[in-house]
Amino acid sequence: MAANGKSMLIDTTKCFACRSCQVACKQWNELAAESPVPTNRGTYENPPDLSATQWLLIHFKETERADGSMAWNFARNSCRHCIDAPCKQVTNNADSITVDADTGAVLHNAGTESESFNAIRSACPFDIPRKDADGRSRKCRMCIDRITNGEVPSCAKACPSDAITFGDRDDILAMADARVTAVQGEFPNATVLDRDAVRLLILLGDPASSYKLQTAPA
Ligand code: SF4
C-alpha cells in the first residue's frame, strides 16, 4: 500500500446536515431510491436506516448538555473502512472482500452472495453491511472508481461546509488532531472516534452518547 493509504475526516462540528453527501453518494453510485418511500417520522433524519441502496446516512439526535444548553447533533454513518477489517476476517472467499492496495478501502465484491451474509454483518462492529436482492453485501466503497481516476469521493466533493476531507492518511490524522485542539474552547469533549482503527475518522464535539451512532466496542 502506498504509504499508509488514504483516510477521510468527518468533522461533525462543521456539519449542518444539509445531506448533500447522502445525495451525492446515491447519485454517483447509481443507487435506487428507497422503496417503499419512507414516511415522516417526526424527524429530519431520512431514511431511517442504511440499506443495500443507502450507503451513507446522516443521523440526528437532540440532547441536553451538562450546562443546560441544547445540542442538536448530526453524525454520518457509513463504512469506517477498518484498518484490520473484521468483516474481511470472516470471509471464506479471499476475493469476496478485498482491501485496495493503494487506499486501504475495504471492498465488498460480487462473491459475498456465496457466503453467510449474517456472519459478515455480525462481524462489523458498526453494523454497516446490508444485503441486496441477490444476497450480496453492499456498503460504501470509498468511491474507489473516482479515487483511481484522481477524484475525491463524491461525498467529499459535494459537502458545502468542508466537513469532509479526503487525503493521505498521515495528513488526515494530523488534520484531525489539530482540529480537536482547535475546537477545544467550544467543545472541550472533542474527540476522534476509533482514531487508530479506521479510515473514516469521525470527529465529535460532544460525548459520543450525544450522537446517534454505533461506536466500536471498547
Ligand atoms: Fe467491514 Fe464494518 Fe469495518 Fe466497514 S465498518 S470495513 S463493513 S467491519
Side-chain angles (χ1 to χ4, degrees):
M1 183 180 305
N4 286 323
K6 300 291 186 182
S7 277
M8 191 142 57
L9 175 61
I10 310 299
D11 186 343
T12 66
T13 68
K14 292 183 176 179
C15 173
F16 59 97
C18 68
R19 294 173 290 184
S20 298
C21 52
Q22 267 190 216
V23 174
C25 176
K26 281 264 195 195
Q27 194 171 33
W28 179 259
N29 294 294
E30 299 183 327
L31 300 172
E34 297 309 283
S35 178
V37 175
T39 54
N40 189 327
R41 298 174 296 118
T43 170
Y44 286 107
E45 185 183 272
N46 183 46
D49 196 9
L50 296 172
S51 75
T53 56
Q54 187 75 42
W55 298 352
L56 190 174
L57 185 59
I58 299 296
H59 284 305
F60 291 59
K61 186 171 181 179
E62 290 178 35
T63 55
E64 189 177 322
R65 296 192 177 99
D67 65 3
S69 66
M70 189 199 140
W72 194 25
N73 285 329
F74 319 120
R76 166 196 170 130
N77 199 21
S78 64
C79 175
R80 310 301 199 273
H81 295 279
C82 303
I83 302 290
D84 192 9
C87 57
K88 180 163 175 55
Q89 292 170 19
V90 300
T91 53
N92 52 26
N93 173 354
D95 296 330
S96 67
I97 298 181
T98 55
V99 177
D100 178 64
D102 289 328
T103 61
V106 179
L107 306 173
H108 288 193
N109 306 313
T112 50
E113 69 273 25
S114 65
E115 308 188 42
S116 166
F117 170 79
N118 291 343
I120 295 173
R121 182 167 176 176
S122 298
C124 175
F126 306 100
D127 190 31
I128 298 298
R130 296 292 189 271
K131 185 164 64 172
D132 70 10
D134 298 322
R136 225 173 9 147
S137 178
R138 305 302 304 273
K139 65 162 196 71
C140 163
R141 297 176 62 82
M142 206 193 268
C143 283
I144 191 69
D145 49 348
R146 290 176 60 89
I147 297 170
T148 51
N149 284 293
E151 299 286 343
V152 301
S154 60
C155 56
K157 181 79 173 176
C159 179
S161 63
D162 292 330
I164 306 175
T165 309
F166 175 82
D168 291 340
R169 179 168 176 80
D170 292 343
D171 294 342
I172 296 297
L173 284 172
M175 183 183 293
D177 294 341
R179 185 69 186 154
V180 167
T181 301
V183 301
Q184 281 296 310
E186 187 177 358
F187 300 103
N189 295 306
T191 187
V192 176
L193 289 174
D194 311 304
R195 179 190 182 282
D196 299 320
V198 297
R199 294 189 182 278
L200 189 81
L201 297 164
I202 302 176
L203 189 157
L204 303 180
D206 287 310
S209 59
S210 301
Y211 297 80
K212 184 181 172 187
L213 202 53
Q214 180 143 340
T215 54

